[in-house]
Amino acid sequence: MILVQHLSKRFGRAHVLTGLDFAASAGERVALVGQNGSGKTTFMRCLLGLYRYEGQITVGGHEPRTERSALLEEVAFVPQLPPAFRLTVGEYVELIEATCRVREERIFSLAHELGLDVEAIWDRPFPALSGGMKQKLLSAVAIARRPKLLVMDEPGANLDPTARRILYTQLARLDDDTTMLLSSHRVDELAGLVTRVVELDGGRIVLDDVVARATELDSIAGSTQAFVELVDAPASVSSTLQEWGFVPTEGGWRGTVANPDRFRFLALMTRWSGLVRRFTFDDPRGPQGPGDDLSER
Amino acid sequence: MSEAIVTVTEQQPHRRGRLGPLGTMAWLDLRETLRARWFQLYVLGFTSLMGLFFVFGLAESQVMGFTGLGRLLLTFIQITLVVLPIFVLVTTARTLVGDREAGVFEYVLTLPVSLAAYYWGRLLGRTAAIALPLVAALGAGALIERLRGGEVPWAVVLYYSGLVLALTFCFLGLAMLISVVSRTQEMAIGLAFGVWLALEALIDALLIGLLVQERAPVESVMAAALLNPLQAFRTAAIALFDPELTILGSVSYALLDILGQGGLLAWALAWPTVLGAGAAAVGAFIFVRRDAL
């Protein structure tokens, strides 16, 4: 479904994607993870034909820049931040009906599941909706289109836990041959839904992990206490640790890593091997168990 | 909230909107514009203007040889010449760059609509929204005069409607190009104002100044006058009634002498349209080829 070869993208002198290779077959559900600025959004925008790029991309056999309309017939996208267009909800739904092969009844039904009554807000300006309402509507539209490729940037970002759970259920109900590319900062958000985890860092794929069973990540849900002692802590490293929720303590940094994210965290430690003096994962088998000093094994 | 999963009926193939992607984008832009506060003020301003002309008896006045509805229309068109270009430039130059800044492109341009359909649809919708109220005001003026028993110069009404459409399209094309090349709304407004100022400056008085002070070649001054859509519009509007030197100004008078009345009237319709279409086409060329965001 997706074939990416030697993809590079730069803005001025800033190289955001560097020689990236990626392939996903029909039905694969990929979690695209990485820190802020890792290139996730740029990668998705290249796939959607919003950016020029170097290298080759085909999505469903179509080249994103030269065959945009044909490609976008088969692709649905939900951005992280809802657009601020000056339409009413009704006009937005009419726009979708006019440009995509979808019936409004299906949008209503899916939105209703998420707790949004579209008909009741038909005449309201789209910008007047709350962030959660916009996200529900955009998600309902994307799923209603039954795309061959569904691209969602932080799908659960603006949703309450209940709506998030229902959204993931709706995603799981999509046809088996629907390919998904779901961007998130944290894998645990998508545990149970994805079959593969791809991590970007510095515009490159640094981790590509196939999950054998859809429930594999879910079955190890939970979290693990971790401790990192650094030789030196440059600002970028401190910033990344803070994004992981770590706080500086005496002698190092302490935080909690969601179990599905542990491999990603280990990969991060590997890349920082020159900076890390010691790090430990507490033994998840028991609260009193001694920490596993992974750096000494 | 119930977590029960509602069974969704099997999706039926949906009939495409009758308007097609281009028409859909034009219709959406038109609806968006009709709702905008600036547009409501614009319509109110021009319809009030026409109403005031009748209330204050402009149609009955006789000044410098212009009488009846002809004088009223000429006054209306002169005000249009002052207001319309800057109004169109400032309101439209912000559209595409504003959409980009507001994240609209990131979503709308991932719908199965070609970039060309999006661009030209926006231009089409905006052209209708800007030009129709002006043409309607001209038509309403003529109708009121007819109901009052006055004589209506229908050919003039028709020609002025064409002029208004040509001028609208000209500045919309320029504004769309500005919107495409600008990285921010502030930059777009600055460029729009600069274009307007340059065109306003290059009308009769300044051109004569160039001719006298700088000893510029007459041919280049005439060419500059011909290529300035505002100059062409102004000259054609007056030339319909009284093509005298004292009214037209020397450069316009010379243009009239070179092209003849028929040629000048045709030029004033054709050149702004071509210029607007050309600018819009360059904008479209850039728009579809560069990064959308």
Side-chain angles (χ1 to χ4, degrees), chain A residues 72-73 77 83-104 107-108 118 122 126 137-138 141-142 144-145, chain B residues 14-32 35 99 103-114 117-119 121-122:
Chain A
L72 294 171
E73 293 266 5
F77 172 61
F85 40 42
R86 295 172 286 275
L87 303 174
T88 64
V89 170
E91 286 168 350
Y92 166 60
V93 174
E94 285 171 12
L95 168 67
I96 296 300
E97 275 205 301
T99 54
C100 310
R101 296 176 196 278
V102 64
R103 300 183 72 84
E104 66 180 23
I107 297 171
F108 292 171
V118 179
W122 190 257
F126 187 85
L137 186 55
L138 294 174
V141 163
R145 289 181 59 192
Chain B
H14 187 265
R15 188 159 48 85
R16 288 289 176 136
R18 289 177 187 170
L19 295 172
L22 181 75
T24 301
M25 288 301 146
W27 179 236
L28 274 175
D29 188 273
L30 188 60
R31 288 170 74 168
E32 183 185 312
R35 211 170 30 244
D99 281 355
V104 173
F105 277 1
E106 187 183 25
Y107 186 73
V108 174
L109 297 185
T110 60
L111 297 175
V113 174
S114 72
Y118 179 82
Y119 180 90
R122 294 295 301 260

Side-chain angles (χ1 to χ4, degrees), chain B residues 232-245:
Chain B
F233 184 91
R234 175 180 171 274
T235 307
I238 301 174
L240 265 179
F241 289 98
D242 193 358
E244 293 297 323
L245 175 65

Side-chain angles (χ1 to χ4, degrees), chain A residues 52 68 92 101 106 173, chain B residues 5 8 11 107 109 291:
Chain A
R52 292 169 299 165
R68 286 187 78 257
Y92 166 60
R101 296 176 196 278
R106 183 166 164 78
R173 288 207 319 260
Chain B
I5 302 302
V8 178
Q11 187 179 4
Y107 186 73
L109 297 185
D291 288 344

